[in-house]
Amino acid sequence: MTPPGDAPPVAGSAGPEAAPLILTLAFDDRSFARFEALRRAHFPPERNLIPAHLTLFHHLPGPQLPVILADLRRTCRDAAPFPLAVTGLRPLGRGVALTLAAPDLARLRERLAALWSEWLIPQDRQAHRPHVTIQNKVEPAAAKALLADLSAGFSPWTARAEGLLLWRYHGGPWERLARLPFTARRS
């Protein structure tokens, strides 16, 4: 099974505006560079069509773009950047992911899930297990070896969530539609 975030459902043939939307978290530059370096080092290059990411929703309805953008603008206006604990590694069977945790992330996703509940596909209705996939689509033995190698030297660290990224899925690469920064101040 392909892990969430790496292979959303294929877009329909009703035109580009009908293609599904994907929502991911925007990281601070330093953390993104660290995630991206790991992904480039370990993801098969011919299959690495998208940047390192933490998916919040895998398949939102493309025709609802104006409503989704309005919801995201309000949400980001009311949210401040927040820390994310990079807590460990997770096996994916044919890959490896970094696990992340933050109470602010859980609350943010729950708020958006409540707004969009009627649109959510089963995958997006499941419990959210935040992660950044750094390897996928490899033989299980290779994934197990990488997990062991990275686990031996892993130390938890802190990343920073700075906003949201909205993408349109085009059957492979993603098209970035918007970067929406969190603009509230932390109290």
Side-chain angles (χ1 to χ4, degrees):
M1 181 176 162
T2 303
D6 283 326
V10 176
S13 58
E17 67 283 346
L21 305 173
I22 301 163
L23 185 66
T24 66
L25 196 63
F27 301 109
D28 64 284
D29 290 341
R30 188 176 195 180
S31 297
F32 173 75
R34 190 169 178 179
F35 293 136
E36 183 69 5
L38 285 165
R39 188 173 171 98
R40 291 201 181 278
H42 302 294
F43 209 99
E46 69 280 2
R47 294 183 164 195
N48 193 12
L49 304 176
I50 55 179
H53 58 280
L54 187 159
T55 304
L56 296 172
F57 295 95
H58 301 89
H59 189 284
L60 296 169
Q64 296 298 330
L65 177 61
V67 174
I68 290 168
L69 275 172
D71 290 343
L72 293 176
R73 286 184 182 112
R74 275 191 306 278
T75 298
C76 289
R77 181 192 64 223
D78 297 339
F82 57 86
L84 293 157
V86 182
T87 58
L89 295 151
R90 176 175 145 197
L92 300 175
R94 299 180 69 85
V96 176
L98 291 164
T99 57
L100 290 89
D104 289 325
L105 177 61
R107 283 190 293 273
L108 172 75
R109 190 178 183 287
E110 287 170 7
R111 177 180 174 190
L112 292 171
L115 285 173
W116 303 331
S117 63
E118 67 189 62
W119 300 332
L120 299 184
I121 63 170
Q123 184 180 23
D124 286 333
R125 290 181 189 277
Q126 296 175 7
H128 189 235
R129 296 174 54 194
H131 65 279
V132 174
T133 301
I134 58 172
Q135 180 193 59
N136 198 11
K137 303 174 177 65
V138 300
E139 291 301 315
K144 189 174 182 179
L146 179 63
L147 180 64
D149 184 49
L150 293 177
S151 294
F154 181 81
S155 293
W157 54 284
T158 302
R160 186 170 173 84
E162 295 197 338
L164 299 172
L165 298 167
L166 186 64
W167 308 82
R168 189 177 304 277
Y169 179 65
H170 292 292
W174 298 0
E175 171 194 6
R176 189 164 91 183
L177 300 177
R179 180 182 179 97
L180 303 124
F182 298 141
T183 56
R185 292 188 177 237
R186 182 130 332 250
S187 53

